[in-house]
Amino acid sequence: MTENSFIVTDPVGVGLHVYEWLPDPDVAVRGIVQISHGMCETAARYARFAAALTGAGYAVYAQDHRGHGRTAGKVNLLGDVGEDGFYWMRRNLLQVAAIAMSRHEGQPIFLFAHSMGSFLAQKIMCEEGGDVYAGYILSGTNGPRSMLGLAESVASIQYRLQGPLHRSVLLNSLVFGNYNRGFSPVRTAFDWLSSDPAEVDLFIKDSFCGAICTTRFFRDFFQLLRELHTRESLRTLCTDKPVYLFSGDKDPVGMNGQGLLRLAAIYRERGIRDVEHRLYPGGRHEMLNEVNRDQVTADVLDWLARHLPADSMVLESTAT
């Protein structure tokens, strides 16, 4: 695998740090996988997953979202995505997708999206430009949930009282405070991420992970979540693209699998004929970092291979 990185400036002047992982020169590129990482983490954490993808012939691209990782640049700038940040994060994904496709002309591109990144992907599936992707893989995701209007109101009040850049311990606690409930023993505040202590420790030790986000971030995030599954939004859902949903059945973000099952049902009801889902017994939020991660990765590679367009597989056969 060859690893590169580059900076892309978006239309409002934010410089996006983009990781590029490519197969070895003797491995034919058969497709592109773009990664949309989760909240309060960085795309660099997906290097191991990228190694498996490139080994199977996929070119991999992943930017640090605005307010995250090397796009934020400094630790004290983490956790704020700017004005209309969630809109721009979606536009940024499409911007980087266009660059990836220009570098690998004719190859299909799939969007692998985890947690917060998966909610961005869910919105893209209902927006102009979402049909650029050959398929969607959503990890650690969720469907409709209650109390989002109340959460948005609380965030809006704190935004007005303490300003957009206030680091909200209150809202952070509302989002993450109960995520360790049900796990015992509890060793750290982030045990809900994975049952592998070494992976949890790597997250904690990473200075680009675990920041407390701003009131502006939470307000806009709650608004995005509230809009995702409305009739108006789902009316424009792209229904001709395959979707693969997976998570652990102990993932608190997806309500221990119930949210993922509900989302799969919604997509089928709305006309997506190719929807697959998988819940891993005992798995927590980050299945790519779970103790059975090799099997999880193999399942993703299997899904990708089965969903490559016929002309892409012809190109692969010709190249080999």
Side-chain angles (χ1 to χ4, degrees):
M1 179 178 74
T2 302
E3 179 177 339
N4 307 299
S5 63
F6 56 92
I7 305 296
V8 175
T9 303
D10 79 359
V12 292
V14 173
L16 306 169
H17 186 93
V18 183
Y19 294 90
E20 177 187 59
W21 292 288
L22 300 176
D24 292 333
D26 60 341
V27 178
V29 174
R30 65 198 304 208
I32 308 164
V33 176
Q34 183 181 12
I35 296 173
S36 175
H37 69 75
M39 178 179 171
C40 302
E41 63 160 344
T42 168
R45 300 182 72 229
Y46 293 80
R48 180 174 58 205
F49 180 49
L53 290 169
T54 57
Y58 298 95
V60 183
Y61 292 82
Q63 74 253 39
D64 282 335
H65 294 303
R66 54 177 57 216
H68 293 77
R70 298 195 180 280
T71 294
K74 298 179 180 179
V75 172
N76 66 322
L77 298 179
L78 296 172
D80 183 67
V81 296
E83 197 64 33
D84 297 321
F86 283 88
Y87 167 80
W88 284 114
M89 281 193 283
R90 301 194 302 275
R91 297 302 97 189
N92 295 158
L93 284 167
L94 294 174
Q95 182 180 3
V96 173
I99 293 171
M101 289 187 292
S102 72
R103 295 187 175 193
H104 307 280
E105 189 173 352
Q107 296 293 350
I109 183 168
F110 297 87
L111 182 58
F112 178 98
H114 174 68
S115 197
M116 178 195 75
S118 78
F119 301 126
L120 296 172
Q122 286 190 43
K123 188 66 170 176
I124 288 173
M125 291 168 66
C126 300
E127 293 181 323
E128 182 179 355
D131 58 354
V132 70
Y133 295 107
Y136 291 87
I137 303 171
L138 306 184
S139 159
T141 195
N142 199 3
R145 73 214 73 185
S146 61
M147 308 296 287
L148 286 173
L150 177 59
E152 185 182 351
S153 296
V154 172
S156 296
I157 292 170
Q158 193 169 50
Y159 177 100
R160 290 195 301 270
L161 292 176
Q162 297 182 284
L165 301 182
H166 173 71
R167 303 286 171 171
S168 180
V169 175
L170 169 63
L171 296 172
N172 189 76
S173 178
L174 287 176
V175 172
F176 299 111
N178 292 324
Y179 278 3
N180 265 345
R181 182 178 295 176
F183 299 124
S184 180
V186 173
R187 187 176 62 93
T188 78
F190 296 99
D191 284 8
W192 57 276
L193 293 176
S194 171
S195 63
D196 186 337
E199 292 296 327
V200 173
D201 288 345
L202 284 173
F203 179 90
I204 292 171
K205 292 175 183 177
D206 192 328
S207 60
F208 283 123
C209 293
I212 294 179
C213 295
T214 64
T215 56
R216 173 164 59 185
F217 177 100
F218 282 113
R219 181 199 63 178
D220 294 352
F221 185 41
F222 294 144
Q223 180 181 9
L224 170 70
L225 295 177
R226 182 173 53 79
E227 292 174 350
L228 278 182
H229 308 109
T230 63
R231 290 183 180 180
E232 181 180 0
S233 181
L234 291 171
R235 189 176 298 119
T236 54
L237 177 69
C238 183
T239 59
D240 62 346
K241 306 295 182 180
V243 180
Y244 176 39
L245 313 170
F246 74 90
S247 187
D249 70 357
K250 300 301 181 184
D251 178 10
V253 173
M255 299 180 289
N256 296 335
Q258 295 308 304
L260 183 144
L261 294 175
R262 188 174 180 188
L263 180 62
I266 288 172
Y267 283 161
R268 293 184 180 111
E269 291 167 1
R270 290 288 173 170
I272 301 180
R273 287 184 290 181
D274 190 347
V275 179
E276 296 183 29
H277 70 269
R278 187 182 298 270
L279 288 173
Y280 292 93
R284 300 185 189 182
H285 184 53
E286 294 185 345
M287 289 309 307
L288 291 181
N289 295 322
E290 263 293 359
V291 293
N292 62 330
R293 52 185 168 265
D294 290 345
Q295 182 59 56
V296 174
T297 299
D299 291 339
V300 172
L301 290 173
D302 173 70
W303 185 90
L304 284 167
R306 289 187 287 106
H307 290 86
L308 282 171
D311 56 350
S312 175
M313 289 189 287
V314 169
L315 286 172
E316 176 200 6
S317 177
T318 301
T320 55

